[in-house]
Amino acid sequence: KNKLWVPIFAYTSASLIAISRISENKHWLSDIFAGTVLGILSGRQVVNNYHRYATIKSTPKQKRKKISLGINDNRGHLEPSFVYHIP
C-alpha cells in the first residue's frame, strides 16, 4: 500500500497471465475467478496475520500465570497433578 507501483505491477501481470491462459484454452473464466478470489483472500490473511504477530512481538512481555497438568508416580501408582504458578 505504501508504493503505488507494487499493486499496479502485481495486478497487471496477474491479469495478463490470466488472459493468456484463457486465450490458450488452458483455463476457463471460472478457474481464473476462483483463483483470483482464493489468492486475494489468502494474501490478505497472510498480511493480517503478519501484522498481528508483529504487534504481539513488539509489546512488552507480561508475567503470566501458568497452569501445568501432568501425571506423577506416587509409590507405584499414578496420580494426576495440577500445578498453578503465580509469578
Side-chain angles (χ1 to χ4, degrees), residues 33-79:
F33 180 73
T36 301
V37 170
L38 286 173
I40 290 173
L41 292 177
S42 62
R44 286 185 180 181
Q45 187 66 33
V46 166
V47 170
N48 289 340
N49 283 343
Y50 170 76
H51 289 300
R52 190 176 324 139
Y53 177 75
T55 303
I56 290 170
K57 289 299 271 185
S58 67
T59 56
K61 288 191 175 185
Q62 300 173 353
K63 293 183 179 180
R64 296 186 215 158
K65 298 173 186 172
K66 296 179 185 177
I67 298 174
S68 300
L69 300 173
I71 298 175
N72 289 332
D73 183 17
N74 187 10
R75 298 181 185 178
H77 64 279
L78 299 177
E79 296 178 344

Side-chain angles (χ1 to χ4, degrees), residues 17-32:
I17 292 169
I19 291 169
S20 73
R21 300 300 289 173
I22 291 172
S23 66
E24 293 178 7
N25 285 332
K26 300 293 182 185
H27 287 285
W28 292 336
L29 185 60
S30 61
D31 297 341
I32 301 297

